[in-house]
C-alpha cells in the first residue's frame, strides 16, 4: 500500500495574504480521499524525532538557535515565516515524516510526504520557507542505519536545491541533481553534482526532453540504492514564483517519467512535495494530486 506522511501541524497558521499556500496541506489529502485515490489507511502521522537525526546534516549551533528561537534577526528574516515553537515542531515532524516514509519506500517501492522538500535549508542556516532539510536528513538516516549505501536526490522543484547541494558537496555517497529555472531564486547558485538551469518560459517539450535525456544516464552512472524525488509543482506556467511554462499535463508527464523509471529499475523512491505557488490553489492541489495518482497507478 502507498504510505503517505501527513500531520495536522503541516497547515501552519499565517497572516492573510502570505504567499505560502498552507491550505494545500489540508486540501490535498481531502481531495485524494474524496476521489478514492487514497483512504485513511494510506496516511500515517509522524512525530517529533530524536534530535540526533538533525545533527547528521545540520550544525548543532544552528539547530539549537532554531529550537530556542535565538536566530539573529537577519537569519530569521531569510526564512520567510514568523518563527515560533510550533513552527519548529512542524519542521521537525516533516523531517520525521520523510525518514519514516523512506523506510516505507524500501518495503513498498515508493512512499510520500504531503509536505517536505525543504531544500533551501543549509547545514548552518535556513531560507525561503526551509529550516531543516528533510530529504538530506532522510538520506543520512538510511545510510547510518546501514540500509542503503548510495543515494540520488532528484530535485525538480523550479528553484535550485541550494541547501541540499551545500550539505552534500563533499559527500560522494549522496549525489545531487537539480533541474531548475536558470534566472530564478536562488540568484547565486550552489554546485550540485549535476545542475541544469533552464531559461525563463521553458515549455513542456524542452523540459521533458532534457529530463528524459539526463535522468537514465545519471542513474546508470551513479547506481543509487535509493532515490529521493522532490516534485515541486512551481514549474507550472501559472506559478507566481516559477518563471517556467509547464502545463499541468507536462508536469504530470514529468512525474510519470521519474516514477516509472524508478519502478522499472526497482530503485525505491521517496517523494517530498516541494513548492507550488499558483494564484489558484486548486491548480496547486491538482498538480500535486497527479503525483499521488501516478504512484498508485504505477506501483499498486
Amino acid at each position: 500500500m502507498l504510505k503517505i506522511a501527513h500531520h495536522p501541524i503541516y497547515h501552519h497558521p499565517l497572516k492573510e495574504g502570505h504567499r505560502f499556500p498552507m491550505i494545500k496541506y489540508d486540501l490535498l489529502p481531502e481531495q485524494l480521499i474524496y476521489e478514492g485515490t487514497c483512504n485513511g489507511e494510506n496516511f500515517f502521522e509522524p512525530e517529533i524525532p530524536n534530535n540526533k537525526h538533525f545533527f547528521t546534516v545540520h550544525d548543532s549551533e544552528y539547530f539549537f538557535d532554531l529550537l530556542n528561537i535565538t536566530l539573529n534577526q537577519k537569519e530569521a528574516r531569510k526564512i520567510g515565516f514568523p518563527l515560533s515553537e510550533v513552527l519548529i515542531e512542524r519542521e521537525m515532524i516533516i523531517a520525521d515524516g520523510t525518514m519514516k516514509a523512506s523506510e516505507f519506500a524500501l518495503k513498498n517501492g515508493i512512499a510520500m510526504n504531503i509536505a517536505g522538500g525543504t531544500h533551501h535549508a543549509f547545514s548552518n542556516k535556513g531560507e525561503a520557507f526551509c529550516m531543516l532539510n528533510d530529504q538530506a536528513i532522510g538520506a543520512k538516516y538510511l545510510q547510518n542505519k546501514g540500509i542503503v549505501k548510495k543515494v540520488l536526490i532528484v530535485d525538480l522543484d523550479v528553484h535550485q536545491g541550494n541547501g541540499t547541494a551545500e550539505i552534500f558537496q563533499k559527500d560522494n555517497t549522496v549525489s545531487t541533481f537539480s533541474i531548475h529555472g536558470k534566472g530564478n531564486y536562488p540568484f547565486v547558485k550552489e554546485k550540485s553534482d549535476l545542475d541544469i538551469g533552464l531559461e525563463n518560459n521553458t515549455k513542456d517539450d524542452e523540459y521533458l526532453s532534457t529530463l528524459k535525456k539526463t535522468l537514465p544516464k545519471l542513474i546508470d552512472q551513479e547506481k543509487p540504492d535509493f532515490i529521493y524525488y522532490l516534485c515541486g509543482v512551481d514549474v507550472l506556467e501559472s506559478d507566481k514564483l516559477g518563471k517556467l511554462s509547464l502545463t499541468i499535463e507536462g508536469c504530470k508527464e514529468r512525474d510519470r517519467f521519474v516514477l516509472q523509471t524508478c519502478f522499472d529499475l526497482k530503485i525505491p523512491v521517496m517523494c517530498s512535495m516541494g513548492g507550488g505557488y499558483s494564484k489558484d490553489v486548486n491548480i496547486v492541489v491538482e498538480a500535486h494530486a497527479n503525483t499521488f495518482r501516478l504512484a498508485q497507478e504505477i506501483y499498486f
Side-chain angles (χ1 to χ4, degrees):
M1 145 179 315
L2 178 64
K3 298 301 284 184
I4 304 163
H6 181 250
H7 192 288
I9 205 171
Y10 284 7
H11 182 180
H12 182 74
L14 295 170
K15 282 186 180 176
E16 194 174 338
H18 196 287
R19 62 183 178 171
F20 194 94
M22 283 286 179
I23 189 68
K24 75 176 185 177
Y25 298 122
D26 288 343
L27 296 177
L28 181 53
E30 285 171 10
Q31 176 61 31
L32 294 171
I33 289 171
Y34 171 77
E35 69 188 29
T37 296
C38 300
N39 61 46
E41 289 183 25
N42 291 108
F43 296 92
F44 70 92
E45 206 166 276
E47 305 164 316
I48 295 177
N50 190 303
N51 288 349
K52 69 180 183 181
H53 298 299
F54 303 115
F55 303 141
T56 60
V57 302
H58 292 293
D59 293 353
S60 58
E61 184 179 352
Y62 165 65
F63 175 77
F64 285 117
D65 277 344
L66 202 58
L67 197 63
N68 299 319
I69 324 291
T70 52
L71 288 176
N72 68 48
Q73 201 172 4
K74 185 181 176 185
E75 290 172 326
R77 197 181 304 117
K78 283 185 177 178
I79 289 168
F81 292 141
L83 295 186
S84 67
E85 286 183 15
V86 175
L87 182 74
I88 306 311
E89 278 184 22
R90 172 186 183 270
E91 198 81 353
M92 295 167 78
I93 287 169
I94 287 171
D96 187 61
T98 292
M99 285 190 283
K100 286 180 174 152
S102 301
E103 295 201 86
F104 280 121
L106 285 163
K107 290 178 192 170
N108 302 328
I110 189 169
M112 308 174 92
N113 195 340
I114 286 279
T118 44
H119 60 162
H120 300 308
F122 288 68
S123 60
N124 61 354
K125 64 178 180 177
E127 59 183 48
F129 314 136
C130 303
M131 289 150 276
L132 298 168
N133 195 311
D134 69 300
Q135 292 194 330
I137 292 162
K140 297 320 286 184
Y141 172 73
L142 292 183
Q143 289 181 334
N144 290 337
K145 286 192 82 169
I147 303 172
V148 304
K149 290 182 179 176
K150 185 65 184 277
V151 173
L152 172 63
I153 298 179
V154 177
D155 188 338
L156 301 187
D157 190 276
V158 80
H159 305 105
Q160 191 215 29
N162 54 348
T164 309
E166 180 267 335
I167 286 169
F168 293 121
Q169 60 187 351
K170 294 177 181 173
D171 185 343
N172 61 13
T173 68
V174 179
S175 293
T176 53
F177 169 44
S178 178
I179 299 181
H180 50 262
K182 184 179 178 181
N184 207 331
Y185 174 90
F187 299 108
V188 177
K189 309 283 194 284
E190 296 292 324
K191 188 170 173 23
S192 309
D193 291 303
L194 178 58
D195 283 303
I196 298 177
L198 299 174
E199 299 295 338
N200 289 356
N201 303 312
T202 295
K203 292 183 167 51
D204 292 356
D205 288 351
E206 184 184 345
Y207 188 101
L208 293 168
S209 170
T210 301
L211 174 64
K212 290 175 180 180
K213 280 189 293 191
T214 309
L215 183 61
K217 285 182 187 173
L218 182 62
I219 291 172
D220 186 55
Q221 175 189 307
E222 298 296 332
K223 297 180 172 49
D225 307 308
F226 195 94
I227 288 176
Y228 283 95
Y229 177 32
L230 206 173
C231 36
V233 300
D234 43 11
V235 293
L236 294 176
E237 186 172 21
S238 57
D239 199 89
K240 293 181 290 187
L241 306 181
K243 298 187 181 179
L244 298 186
S245 293
L246 269 67
T247 63
I248 281 203
E249 293 74 23
C251 189
K252 184 176 183 180
E253 179 57 31
R254 174 201 72 172
D255 290 347
R256 182 187 298 281
F257 182 75
V258 174
L259 298 187
Q260 189 70 55
T261 298
C262 293
F263 179 81
D264 291 346
L265 295 174
K266 297 182 171 56
I267 303 170
V269 59
M270 185 273 150
C271 306
S272 293
M273 289 301 102
Y277 310 94
S278 296
K279 190 173 182 181
D280 181 353
V281 73
N282 295 310
I283 293 173
V284 177
V285 171
E286 177 65 12
H288 279 315
N290 277 334
T291 318
F292 293 83
R293 293 166 186 146
L294 287 164
Q296 290 284 34
E297 177 189 323
I298 292 167
Y299 284 83
F300 304 100

